Amino acid sequence: MKIRKRPGKERRFFAGMALPLAAIALFVAMNAALLVRAGEYLPVPEILEKIDAGHGLYGSAIQPNTYWLKQDIYRRIKPDVAVLGSSRVLQFRKDFFDTSFANLGNMHNLQQVITMAETVVTEHKPKLLVLAVDFWWFNPAYSNDEFTTEPPDTRMRVADLFDAAGWLFKGKLSPRDIWHILAQDTANVGITAIARGDGFDAYGSYYNDSLVTGEVKHRDAKFAITLGYIKGNKLRFSHAATPDKKKLQEFARLLRQLRRAGVPTVVFIPPLAPNVIDEMAQHPKWSGYVQPALAEVEKLSRDAGFGFYNFHDPRDIGGGNCEMLDGVHAGPVSYARLLKIMAAQDEKLASVVNGRRLDEIVKRYSGRGSTLGAREVDFLGLGCGTSPRP
């Protein structure tokens, strides 16, 4: 007895399978197109060319190639003045200076700073290097090795597609954002830069206007997260009583390398929020390594023949909590303020800064976290003023 085949049933089965497969394919294609059109996977030279030509910003939401971006920025500009350090120096900006400038900030640890300094020495010697030092580089309880140097080329991963879907589902990307991305009618590159207006400019400085204007919720409002790290013995505020001698030796070798290469250097300690400093003072048993580390950094800097400035406590130079972006990152006003002070004591620095612009920033925006004027809100939740001074 022959069993008859039922082609209609088979067709319905395969049709039923085809629908979800087509939906998956559409999902993949849409999200992939969104990421590619946003420039998330552009090579660094193309990113720089685009943002430079259109005065745009680069802000990736996937895997920012910051280290390689800074390498290319330095080679491209061959600046007279370079600023090198962690993310705490990203608010140094081109208009602070009267000459060519590159911001090499966002180095995640001392080793990345040393590697970037090798580029400075071998590729192009600037007339002046401004080097910012974080005290936690010398914390023996904090290796800072959770950060690694990303690969030079970002490639699409499956997780990226789901991230993009999540942004769409949660409404983090508006229809207007999607239009700009697909139409490519913006000079900004990367989802974060296009959707929020946050990112690196062609000189390497970072703009995070969405934070200051309140467009995004502040993670460290009232410095709650930073203060929690201090109380909870976490990350860069992990408990330690004495400085790491090995890290101090590495720093000393860095200074000697710069001196031998003939790179004039100014070393400084960036400011912390006063509230954070006061909290640290309540834990002298573990924060006892900080002042000895800073004292040794000063000694090593002066022994190398470099200028040294300690701005650890911004109250010493007229700054305060309201000029901070969070517990450990000062805003552009504080950096204009401390740059004025350094330039007043260093002839080489005085010859390259835009003194008039620095005076204007400090006078008009004193006590503010940005130079955005009325657009700035009380983003820290500290009752900080927002209107610009006349």
Side-chain angles (χ1 to χ4, degrees), residues 235-254:
L235 299 176
R236 66 193 70 179
F237 293 100
S238 298
H239 295 185
T242 57
D244 187 323
K245 292 183 179 179
K246 183 178 178 181
K247 290 293 180 65
L248 284 168
Q249 290 169 356
E250 291 176 6
F251 179 72
R253 284 195 293 271
L254 167 63

